[in-house]
Amino acid sequence: MFRNPGGILHSGASGNIVIPETLDNALIIPCSATFELQDQVFAYKIIDRKAVATRLVTSLTDDGKRYVVKSGLEPGDTILAEGVGMVRDGQEIKTKEAWLMMQDYEQAAVTGLIAAVASQYYTLLMLDRQIELTESTAVKFQRSVEVLEAMKDAGMANETAIAQMRGAYWQVKASTESIAQAIKEIENSLCATLGETPHGIERGNIDTVEFTAELKTGVPAALLERRPDVRAAEHNLAGAYYAVNVARGSMLPSLSLSGAAGWTNSAGAVVNPGGLILSAAGSLFQPIFNARANAAKVKIAKSQQEEAKLNFRQTVLDAGAEVNNALTLYQSASRRIEARIEQTKALEEAVEKTEYLMRYSSTTYLEVLTAEQSLLSAQTDLVQDRYDLIYSVISLYHALGGR
């Protein structure tokens, strides 16, 4: 008997009757996480990282977008929520944490490759400048040999002086060949890194390289979050916390009571409530029987969580050390460049004056030779300092995750 105050129902008419049903502790999953096969509903349960097709007994919610799972799944089960249509039974499935970790490792590989290419490129610029300086010094030594030969003819120098200067000249020429070989080897290595056949690399000048970023005051520690290894350790830690929660959940009894016409269990209607009580008692006692095994699972999961926590802490500390090392190198190279520039200016003046004095006074060739060698050493060190500055920025890029 139904009341019909609005006169909607008429004699002989038909209609659908909706009877509200209240479900306690129900498992609800989105329809998108299921697929149908021969009018049966399935979901992929993740067991040992593999997708296992599991038949479900379900009923649709009022909005038609979700299923109430009556059997086939238990609290704590992991199912595939997206991409069900692209998966087959038994296929290996990566968790979100594993997928994110894989992305982080890919980012680390890309960052490492970029840093390696940049380091090789700027090494070429450094060697270009060094060979230029060495060749320039060789020209100066050759000119000094010619001057000494003229002075010998005038009775102002001897053969020993000429031999010493000529020996210095050939030493510098040999250094030029060594640098040229190193340039060719790095060009070949860079081509191999880029997957190209060996060829010359077009490049600029190390003296013109400038950086707009001011790094002398440091960088925020929060930038360490960009590092792939820090993010990977963080994802691993998140996964460990999840594992502990799942293991702890198995310690608690799962008691789902639902009913149609008063009482139902997960398999269908139950006429005798006593049967439901026995079923509830069974689900209540099951974790107690397995308490020792479940406690072991929790203990193992908590140990893994602690290990992940320590690993994350150490990863952050190591990352901070790398960033600090790069910043220290940048700051040190900046100060060395300033000092080396002044040293080079002083030695250039010394070389000019000793060459003049050798020609017009009693200054010997040894003072000229010493001044020239000291200048070449200072100029080469200055180029190395410029490279160290560049390399510190490359290292900082790598240490901060390349972003």
Side-chain angles (χ1 to χ4, degrees):
M1 181 70 68
F2 295 94
R3 295 182 180 179
N4 188 26
I8 298 176
L9 295 178
H10 301 280
S11 178
S14 61
N16 295 325
I17 300 175
V18 178
I19 301 177
E21 181 181 11
T22 301
L23 302 175
D24 295 329
N25 299 322
L27 288 176
I28 299 178
I29 62 173
C31 295
S32 59
T34 66
F35 64 96
E36 293 188 8
L37 184 64
Q38 297 181 349
D39 295 329
Q40 294 182 336
V41 178
F42 289 82
Y44 283 116
K45 189 187 297 185
I46 308 302
I47 301 176
D48 295 332
R49 296 187 178 182
K50 292 186 178 180
V52 178
T54 305
R55 188 172 68 86
L56 308 178
V57 176
T58 62
S59 61
L60 272 174
T61 57
D62 293 342
D63 59 9
K65 297 179 180 180
R66 295 172 294 173
Y67 279 126
V68 176
V69 180
K70 297 180 178 179
S71 68
L73 293 177
E74 298 293 336
D77 286 344
T78 301
I79 65 170
L80 185 64
E82 298 178 359
V84 174
M86 298 182 290
V87 175
R88 63 180 184 277
D89 193 25
Q91 181 176 335
E92 185 176 357
I93 301 296
K94 291 182 173 63
T95 63
K96 183 178 180 180
E97 286 76 17
W99 180 75
L100 290 173
M101 288 176 66
M102 181 181 66
Q103 281 195 320
D104 292 334
Y105 286 130
E106 289 178 354
Q107 175 64 24
V110 171
T111 301
L113 178 62
I114 293 173
V117 170
S119 177
Q120 288 179 315
Y121 174 81
Y122 287 109
T123 299
L124 284 175
L125 267 59
M126 176 187 69
L127 293 175
D128 285 345
R129 182 59 178 146
Q130 287 181 347
I131 199 171
E132 180 183 338
L133 292 170
T134 306
E135 289 175 343
S136 175
T137 302
V139 171
K140 291 179 181 179
F141 281 174
Q142 179 62 34
R143 188 167 61 245
S144 295
V145 169
E146 294 172 355
V147 170
L148 285 172
E149 286 176 343
M151 292 176 66
K152 177 190 172 186
D153 293 340
M156 299 174 62
N158 55 43
E159 190 63 37
T160 302
I162 297 173
Q164 287 276 11
M165 190 63 73
R166 189 177 288 119
Y169 165 77
W170 288 114
Q171 180 185 16
V172 173
K173 287 291 289 184
S175 298
T176 302
E177 293 301 323
S178 296
I179 298 174
Q181 178 185 353
I183 289 175
K184 182 55 67 176
E185 289 177 355
I186 293 178
E187 281 184 330
N188 292 342
S189 176
L190 184 54
C191 289
T193 302
L194 298 175
E196 301 174 356
T197 57
H199 60 81
I201 303 295
E202 184 178 351
R203 49 191 181 268
N205 190 314
I206 195 170
D207 292 335
T208 62
V209 177
E210 295 181 358
F211 297 102
T212 57
E214 182 58 53
L215 302 177
K216 293 182 180 180
T217 57
V219 296
L223 293 180
L224 293 177
E225 296 177 354
R226 300 178 178 182
R227 283 178 61 107
D229 57 341
V230 171
R231 291 201 307 271
E234 184 179 1
H235 298 323
N236 186 40
L237 180 59
Y241 271 98
Y242 172 76
V244 169
N245 291 332
V246 171
R248 185 178 289 119
S250 64
M251 293 284 290
L252 305 175
S254 177
L255 208 58
S256 299
L257 304 179
S258 59
W263 299 89
T264 62
N265 62 12
S266 59
V270 176
V271 177
N272 181 8
L276 180 62
I277 294 173
L278 292 176
S279 176
S283 64
L284 179 65
F285 294 143
Q286 185 67 25
I288 297 176
F289 296 146
N290 295 333
R292 183 174 299 175
N294 289 330
K297 289 180 180 179
V298 173
K299 188 174 181 179
I300 292 172
K302 290 189 72 174
S303 297
Q304 292 172 340
Q305 181 190 97
E306 188 64 26
E307 181 182 358
K309 187 191 301 182
L310 293 174
N311 178 63
F312 175 73
R313 176 179 177 273
Q314 190 60 47
T315 301
V316 172
L317 291 176
D318 292 342
E322 288 185 24
V323 171
N324 278 328
N325 290 340
L327 288 172
T328 300
L329 179 58
Y330 180 89
Q331 294 158 2
S332 173
S334 298
R335 292 191 295 267
R336 280 186 280 124
I337 288 172
E338 293 175 0
R340 205 80 70 180
I341 289 175
E342 296 303 319
Q343 179 191 18
T344 302
K345 289 179 180 178
L347 290 173
E348 286 174 345
E349 183 179 353
V351 168
E352 182 180 354
K353 290 181 177 179
T354 52
E355 286 180 344
Y356 182 84
L357 290 172
M358 184 183 71
R359 295 181 184 182
Y360 302 106
S361 73
S362 59
T363 299
T364 66
Y365 70 93
L366 288 176
E367 293 183 47
V368 176
L369 182 59
T370 300
E372 289 281 7
Q373 290 174 335
S374 297
L375 177 59
L376 176 60
S377 177
Q379 290 174 327
T380 303
D381 289 342
L382 176 58
V383 175
Q384 181 66 53
D385 292 337
R386 293 189 187 279
Y387 173 78
D388 287 346
L389 184 71
I390 295 170
Y391 182 75
S392 70
V393 177
I394 296 172
S395 298
L396 186 61
Y397 163 84
H398 190 221
L400 292 176
R403 294 184 180 180

